Amino acid sequence: MASKSSKHQPADLANLSFEDALKRLNETVAKLETGKLTLSEATVLYEEGIKLAHVCTEKIAAAEMRITQIRTAYGEQMRMYEDDAAGDDLDDDDEDEA
Amino acid sequence: MPLILTVSKVARYLKDILLSDTMLQDVWVSGEVGNFTRSAAGHSYFTLREGTSAALRCVMFRNAGGGANHLAEGAAVIVHGRIAIYEQRGDLQLIADVVQPEGVGELQLKLEALKAKLEKEGLFEPSRKRELPAFPVKIGVITSPTGAVWHDIQSIVSRRYPLVELVLAPTLVQGDAAAPGIAEAFTAMNAIPGLDLVILARGGGSMEDLWPFNEEAVARAIYTSRAPVVSAVGHETDFTIADMVADVRAPTPSAAAELAVPDRRELLAGIAAAARGMSAFLDSVVTGGMDDIERARARLDRAAPDFDTLRLRVDDLLKNAASQLRHVVNARSAEVESLGHRLTALSPRDILRRGYAIVEAAATGRIVTDASQLKPDDDVSVTLDKGGFNAGVKRVRD
């Protein structure tokens, strides 16, 4: 069963980005459904496809959003304000009620 | 000697004066429309009148800007444009780019004038709108760090598609400092490598609250953004110049977050469907193979010899053989019978009937065929054709 491709594929597949893995999954499905394949070719593609589906699912399930902040004049001002007032509320900034 | 000018020199001099007067190059004039005509080329010609005391010739070119539909004989309007001299006739005229009905507020008038200007420069050009990437990795957000908008965007993006990094550029989103702050934020965003899109967002508010998003600095900042921009300012009914320059306009900040990223649930459902599809397909391949095998077996059956017929033939042959055997047995039996008859004919009884006798030695029970088997006084048994007798040997002869 261990053909030369499936032997080192799992690691490769896990390293794909979500977008690439999803793209490859869709390609695999299309190849499987349109190509005239032998049973063993279809089986190899099927295995790869199922692995890709796992990779996609795991990537999106395990992801955690990252947040960074860039420096702006206003951001610096706010930091100084917060340092000075030590927790004093910014209630005059009531522009975001929606 | 007085200075003598040519007519064209006077006209050029007047033109220079007009051009150098900033007020006359960016002026709003109110009045009543008269002598209104529209040329075949689509340009509008009219006169603005103030009662009977003053009049100003006006032209509005077809591609000038907004509000030409407000032009009608006798309509009270406010016209924006610049004062110029038409050298060939020596006429002063107002070259209009915006027409608004009388009674519209000052902000609205400024807005219309800026819209006309930016439209002419191509900032709203539909052909330059960029598509948002389907699977963004890094998303810039320009908004207030303290409001509900930033919180909503974070929670929607992390719920829908947590594979991204949000980069916040905190800014004021209202007041005089907002527009330069937003422009600065876009400049900072342009320096970030790999940014897939930028969301410019603000919650709802009055027209004055939303004003920074109608300012030229913001419009130009959006226009020069390296990443596509999604604008989401106020509520669905609020339309700002920022919305018109942005690549995509979202009706609300939450909608912007939804437009920016795909939905994890839909993606997972799609992945599951793909996996099911593959399984079903492989099943069908296997089932198809089984059917092929079944068909081949049926053909093989048809091509194979007919064992039933063969079995019948064997049966027949066996029956045949049995009857043959019976014949043989019968024939043999008849033969045996006739041999029996012949044997009967050879039986000693027939000989006895002809007068011979059988002598047996009583001691041994043996038939005596030689006198030397006997000695005097031996008992013998003599069998005749009918009956017999016992006797004693008197004397033995040779």
Side-chain angles (χ1 to χ4, degrees):
Chain A
M1 203 65 242
S3 70
K4 53 184 178 299
S5 58
S6 68
K7 218 178 215 168
H8 51 95
Q9 256 174 9
D12 294 352
L13 295 183
N15 288 335
L16 291 173
S17 73
F18 174 79
E19 181 179 3
D20 289 343
L22 185 65
K23 196 171 139 212
R24 201 149 144 197
L25 171 61
N26 287 329
E27 284 168 2
T28 305
V29 171
K31 224 189 285 173
L32 195 57
E33 287 178 349
T34 57
K36 293 196 173 88
L37 304 165
T38 65
L39 183 59
S40 68
E41 287 165 343
T43 310
V44 169
L45 272 180
Y46 171 77
E47 284 189 347
E48 184 183 318
I50 293 297
K51 270 174 210 148
L52 283 164
H54 278 301
V55 168
C56 288
T57 306
E58 270 166 30
K59 282 208 185 275
I60 205 167
E64 268 188 51
M65 188 176 74
R66 289 199 298 143
I67 295 174
T68 53
Q69 192 163 323
I70 57 178
R71 274 165 172 252
T72 59
Y74 177 60
E76 295 304 296
Q77 238 175 40
M78 283 220 357
R79 249 201 3 214
M80 283 162 61
Y81 183 89
E82 276 168 7
D83 290 348
D84 288 352
D88 212 332
D89 219 17
L90 288 169
D91 265 348
D92 47 343
D93 261 341
D94 61 350
E95 70 277 358
D96 291 314
E97 284 130 10
Chain B
M1 186 70 181
L3 180 66
I4 301 169
L5 298 173
T6 61
V7 175
S8 66
K9 276 202 172 131
V10 171
R12 194 145 317 135
Y13 183 72
L14 284 172
K15 195 179 177 184
D16 286 345
I17 287 182
L18 292 173
L19 279 173
S20 64
D21 187 316
T22 50
M23 201 268 274
L24 291 178
Q25 290 305 301
D26 179 14
V27 68
W28 287 96
V29 184
S30 69
E32 207 169 276
V33 176
N35 296 338
F36 173 56
T37 57
R38 190 161 278 158
S39 74
H43 309 314
S44 303
Y45 299 93
F46 57 101
T47 304
L48 269 185
R49 281 206 186 87
E50 188 180 349
T52 52
S53 60
L56 179 61
R57 282 177 171 275
C58 301
V59 58
M60 185 171 187
F61 295 113
R62 189 184 49 155
N63 58 354
N69 55 313
H70 297 303
L71 291 174
E73 202 65 27
V77 293
I78 305 169
V79 180
H80 179 268
R82 60 189 173 89
I83 307 290
I85 185 163
Y86 186 35
E87 293 166 49
Q88 266 134 323
R89 277 208 299 250
D91 284 352
L92 270 185
Q93 58 181 12
L94 174 62
I95 300 180
D97 53 20
V98 176
V99 176
Q100 286 286 298
E102 180 89 69
V104 172
E106 193 194 335
L107 277 179
Q108 191 65 38
L109 294 177
K110 266 174 85 179
L111 181 66
E112 294 305 323
L114 181 58
K115 252 188 217 171
K117 178 179 166 188
L118 297 180
E119 174 149 37
K120 212 168 174 183
E121 285 186 37
L123 267 71
F124 307 150
E125 212 28 65
S127 62
R128 73 167 290 276
K129 305 280 184 204
R130 292 165 289 189
E131 271 191 34
L132 303 180
F135 300 98
V137 174
K138 214 186 253 190
I139 298 175
V141 181
I142 299 176
T143 193
S144 161
T146 58
V149 166
W150 170 230
H151 176 263
D152 289 351
I153 288 173
Q154 286 177 73
S155 68
I156 289 168
V157 170
S158 82
R159 170 168 53 77
R160 284 172 65 93
Y161 192 71
L163 291 162
V164 297
E165 175 184 354
L166 290 185
V167 181
L168 173 69
T171 53
L172 279 170
V173 290
Q174 128 175 19
D176 289 345
I182 291 167
E184 180 207 348
F186 270 106
T187 306
M189 287 292 184
N190 283 341
I192 295 177
L195 204 62
D196 290 300
L197 67 126
V198 175
I199 298 174
L200 172 63
R202 189 207 189 283
S206 68
M207 188 181 173
E208 285 73 21
D209 288 343
L210 304 186
W211 192 253
F213 296 86
N214 284 323
E215 295 214 38
E216 191 169 348
V218 170
R220 296 205 182 277
I222 295 170
Y223 189 70
T224 51
S225 170
R226 280 173 49 201
V229 178
V230 180
S231 72
V233 181
H235 298 297
E236 189 158 6
T237 49
D238 298 318
F239 253 99
T240 62
I241 286 181
D243 291 324
M244 300 170 79
V245 185
D247 296 275
V248 175
R249 182 223 176 213
T252 63
S254 298
E258 282 168 14
L259 281 172
V261 291
D263 187 355
R264 156 158 70 175
R265 277 174 310 173
E266 282 168 25
L267 290 171
L268 286 171
I271 293 161
R276 274 198 307 278
M278 286 190 297
S279 297
F281 183 79
L282 198 67
D283 267 2
S284 76
V285 169
V286 171
T287 310
M290 301 287 259
D291 288 350
D292 286 348
I293 292 168
E294 207 45 60
R295 269 193 295 279
R297 178 178 296 163
R299 278 172 53 206
L300 191 62
D301 278 353
R302 278 197 298 279
D306 183 346
F307 290 110
D308 286 344
T309 308
L310 286 178
R311 235 171 260 126
L312 285 175
R313 274 185 61 196
V314 169
D315 238 28
D316 279 354
L317 286 171
L318 281 175
K319 270 185 216 150
N320 229 325
S323 79
Q324 291 288 334
L325 196 63
R326 215 169 298 123
H327 279 304
V328 171
V329 170
N330 287 346
R332 294 287 157 149
S333 308
E335 209 174 314
V336 168
E337 215 171 317
S338 83
L339 280 173
H341 289 307
R342 282 169 62 195
L343 278 176
T344 312
L346 292 172
S347 153
R349 292 275 175 196
D350 281 2
I351 300 167
L352 294 181
R353 217 175 287 142
R354 279 188 266 150
Y356 294 92
I358 297 167
V359 179
E360 287 163 90
T364 63
R366 289 185 175 204
I367 291 170
V368 180
T369 53
D370 188 342
S372 64
Q373 289 170 313
L374 297 171
K375 53 190 187 297
D377 292 333
D378 279 355
D379 287 330
V380 295
S381 162
V382 180
T383 303
L384 302 175
D385 182 33
K386 283 182 178 116
F389 57 90
N390 299 333
V393 176
K394 277 186 178 166
R395 191 169 65 88
V396 178
R397 292 192 307 262
D398 295 326

